[in-house]
Amino acid sequence: MTIKWTRGLAGVGILSKLQRSWTERKFKKHDWRIIQQIPFDAFEQLIVSHVDDGWEIEEDYLPLKESTKKWECELKKGTSILVCTWSSDKLGQVVGPERVVTGLASKLNLPAHTSPQY
C-alpha cells in the first residue's frame, strides 16, 4: 500500500492550527496579553508616553511612520518587557505581562486578549 503525500490546503490548515495552539500555550504559560489593531496615532503616543514614563527603548530602533510596512521595538522597565510591533496592514500591537497590558488596554479603550486574534 502506497501513501501519497499532498501539499493541499488541508496540510496548511493543520500547520496553522498547530502554530496557533503553540502560541496560545506560550501566552498562557507566561501570562501574556495582547492588544491588537491599535491606530497609528494612539500607537505612536503609547511609545512616546512610555519612554517619558521611564521605560527604556532600544538605542538602534528606526523611527516609526504610518506608511512603514513593518516595525518593532521593545520597551523595558524593571522585569517587564513590552514588545510593540507595527505593520501597515495589521496596525499596531503590544504584547506583554497581563498586569501591564490590561491597564494599557483600558487607557486605549481596546480589548486585551489572552492570545492573538486571527
Side-chain angles (χ1 to χ4, degrees):
M1 181 170 159
T2 314
I3 298 175
K4 183 177 179 183
W5 294 96
T6 60
R7 292 187 192 182
L9 292 177
V12 173
I14 291 171
L15 290 177
S16 106
K17 285 180 183 179
L18 286 173
Q19 184 178 18
R20 286 182 186 183
S21 176
W22 179 79
T23 301
E24 288 170 0
R25 279 195 307 256
K26 189 165 75 168
F27 267 70
K28 187 174 183 176
K29 176 182 176 184
H30 296 288
D31 200 22
W32 290 341
R33 298 294 184 269
I34 185 170
I35 307 169
Q36 294 177 290
Q37 297 183 338
I38 305 170
F40 179 77
D41 293 333
F43 185 74
E44 184 179 41
Q45 183 57 42
L46 172 152
I47 305 284
V48 170
S49 66
H50 275 70
V51 171
D52 289 347
D53 288 342
W55 287 72
E56 297 175 24
I57 192 167
E58 303 160 347
E59 292 292 327
D60 60 347
Y61 81 98
L62 299 171
L64 175 62
K65 297 177 186 166
E66 190 169 4
S67 61
T68 303
K69 292 225 181 259
K70 192 169 185 178
W71 183 91
E72 182 174 319
C73 81
E74 285 186 358
L75 296 171
K76 300 176 183 180
K77 188 173 187 180
T79 60
S80 297
I81 297 174
L82 295 176
V83 177
C84 306
T85 56
W86 171 266
S87 68
S88 55
D89 59 335
K90 294 183 180 178
L91 305 179
Q93 71 177 29
V94 176
V95 174
E98 184 270 335
R99 68 185 186 286
V100 178
V101 174
T102 302
L104 180 58
S106 68
K107 287 180 187 175
L108 294 171
N109 200 25
L110 292 169
H113 300 285
T114 56
S115 65
Q117 305 299 299
Y118 301 97

